[in-house]
Amino acid sequence: MNFTRRLAALPSGRRSKWVILAVWILLLMALGQLAGKLTGAENNQTSSWLPGNAESTKVVNLQGQFVSTQTMPTIVVYSRDSGITPADQAKAASDAQTFAKLAHVVGPETPPQPSQDGKALSVAVVINLSNGGWTDIGSLVDSMRATANHGDPGLVAHVGGPGGFGADQSKAFTGIDGTLLYATLGIVIILLLLTYRSPTLWLLPLISSGLALTVAEAVIYLLATHAGLTVNAQSAGILTVLVIGAGTDYALLLVARYREELRRHEDRHEAMAAALHRAGPAIMASAATVAVSMLCLTAAQMNSTRGLGPVCAIGVAVALLAMLTLLPALLVIFGRWVFWPSRPRFGTAEPTETGVWARVGGAVARRPRFVWIGTTVVLGALALGLFSLKADGLSDTGTFTNKPDSITAQSVIDAHYPAGTGSPLQVVSDASGADQVVTALKGVPGVTDVTTPRVKGDLAYFTGTLTNAPDSTAAENTVDAARAAVHAVPGAHALLGGDTAVKLDVARASDHDNKVIIPLVLVVVLLILGLLLRAVVAPVVLILTVVLSFAAALGVSAFAFQHLFHFQGEDNAFPLFVFVFLVALGIDYNIFLMTRVREESAHRGTRAGSLAALAATGGVISSAGLILASTFGVLGSLPIVSFAEIGFAVCLGVLLDTFVVRSVLVTALAMDLDHRLWWPSSLGRGAEHEVVAAGRVPNPSRQRSGQRR
């Protein structure tokens, strides 16, 4: 008895099914409260998103000795097109005193600073994020905006700087977990109702997915609080979508196979055991592909990327466990009636044998080589949009899908004050060489207003203002020149950071991660496919088709972002995240299809087996693709560009993979390659001769040996 047979015996047993259900109920009771604490365990500090060993990250960690990491500078900027009046100056000074009295505001109490053109005033405010400051930052900034805009309508006021930006970002993320959860559940419920056309069956996959998400969040919370696992808002949000989306996919495949077996087995326990034995390896291989691909992210330099890997891997592992234990137990407990009104009765014909996907397969079978070449050309043309991809990072102004007040404030600041105001270069060095480092920094073109070093112990801290906009290429070149200058001071051990340096280090770390992780994921997936299919040619073909699908999805997405949504560009991590999700999740559908093709090929030959497999799995895989695409599409509803871009691209890629790559391209390739697809296994030896009538698929139950009606 192999592993899958032993696994199948647990949830399909007459007594063990109740044990499985009891275990999951106990898990829910024990871990349910811990899952609700995950948000409180998130680490959204700046350093948790940055490259771990980057110079700018080291500066962030060291500057806490000089500037509190729990404070955030905020700039209130006033402007009047006709010029600032004495009354405007008096109002700004009065507002500054009001701001100083607000909760969480710690200063500094400086007078309003006029711009050189006389058309703007700025007031600097420092917000303390500790003791509830970060939680209250949204309402605090709203209060400041209301105060600043009260009075003469000719004087326009905005709140920007890191504090204003942080407040707007906090609002965007407020309730993100609940928004994603409820939106995802709503979409899944609708699609399950349409898929099953049953008022009851949809509840079982949904309950199983919900329990899986709860247990996964609890496990991740325990690891975050006791084992140092890093969780942030990004990974927590993606976890919700991934667990429900992937879990529902696995549920759909299992339920579809169980429905088939119910027509061949009078006893539902035997039917479930057969379904698990047949579908279990494909589901486990699919989950292993996703989980291991996610774990490859731990090789990333970016802390946010590295932390996402284990979080998603844990989520997928728990989803797999739920769908192979809890869901089968529930299905067997409830019996055939849960499929009402379309109950699969013992001895009835399988409807998929003459369904729409059987007809699609028949059409492909007429000219498979023409079909796969034509499909490849079309996907290649879509991939040309990659040339317009600008995944070099998003500035603050490009972070949101809308234009919040902080972005408008930055535009006003840029128009009336020096370009680098509010985003200075930050330098930490040994105190003994601080004066020499200051001299070196002053000599760098593009740097001005270098401050006097502040010394604490053996370290010194000072800043310099960029003369170019902090998110410009010229500013990045200045950072490189400034680093070279301060590093050249002997014995000073100087480190240079700041917003521009962070952006530069993030771009370089992301480029490293793309070059390392993408090939690593491809190798891992190729090995898993090779072990599962026991062949060399088939895994290589599947990998190539998924990569082509990824390129096409990325090309279309890049075009849409630029010409339809008018986004500034793409986040640095965008290609990597989309690649990992599309390759790991997209290969799922190829695994579902090809394991069935291999199973059928042993009895029919590869060409007829491909037709039978497409007919049997086409409907369920299409439904699974729609659900997974829709769940990731929910990310596109968030006002954060990076989330919206990932959601759009993964949604599009999954749809392409489901309806074009898997159903057309892979099927056509399998038919054209014939038995050569399985080289060097026994299926790949010897020519096969089969005659396939277009649109007709022989009944697998009549040709499979040992099968009972």
Side-chain angles (χ1 to χ4, degrees), residues 447-467:
V447 179
T448 185
D449 296 335
V450 179
T451 63
T452 302
R454 297 169 57 185
V455 177
K456 280 192 177 181
D458 296 331
L459 294 178
Y461 170 82
F462 54 95
T463 64
T465 302
L466 291 164
T467 58

Side-chain angles (χ1 to χ4, degrees), residues 162-227:
F165 180 80
D168 290 333
Q169 196 171 45
S170 175
K171 288 181 181 178
F173 279 105
T174 298
I176 184 175
D177 295 336
T179 300
L180 287 176
L181 177 61
Y182 296 133
T184 302
L185 288 177
I187 288 174
V188 168
I189 289 171
I190 292 171
L191 291 176
L192 284 177
L193 283 169
L194 293 174
T195 299
Y196 291 138
R197 299 170 190 171
S198 167
T200 52
L201 181 57
W202 63 273
L203 280 168
L204 302 188
L206 197 65
I207 290 171
S208 302
S209 295
L211 279 176
L213 179 61
T214 300
V215 172
E217 288 178 337
V219 171
I220 291 167
Y221 167 77
L222 291 173
L223 293 176
T225 53
H226 300 292

Side-chain angles (χ1 to χ4, degrees), residues 611-622:
L611 279 176
L614 180 61
T617 64
V620 64
I621 293 177
S622 300

Side-chain angles (χ1 to χ4, degrees), residues 397-410:
T397 57
T399 299
F400 301 94
T401 57
N402 53 10
K403 190 176 182 180
D405 187 63
S406 60
I407 303 304
T408 304
Q410 189 60 51

Side-chain angles (χ1 to χ4, degrees), residues 413-440:
I413 293 171
D414 291 342
H416 299 287
Y417 291 89
T421 300
S423 299
L425 299 178
Q426 301 167 343
V427 182
V428 177
S429 71
D430 289 350
S432 58
D435 291 338
Q436 293 174 281
V437 177
V438 167
T439 301

Side-chain angles (χ1 to χ4, degrees), residues 378-399:
V378 171
L379 292 173
L382 295 178
L384 294 176
L386 282 170
F387 290 107
S388 63
L389 190 71
K390 296 186 294 183
D392 52 1
L394 297 168
S395 67
D396 288 350
T397 57
T399 299

Side-chain angles (χ1 to χ4, degrees), residues 391-394 503 506-508 510-511 514 570-576:
D392 52 1
L394 297 168
K503 183 176 182 293
V506 166
R508 290 171 177 171
S510 297
D511 183 61
N514 291 339
E570 291 80 35
D571 186 71
N572 299 103
F574 169 75
L576 177 60

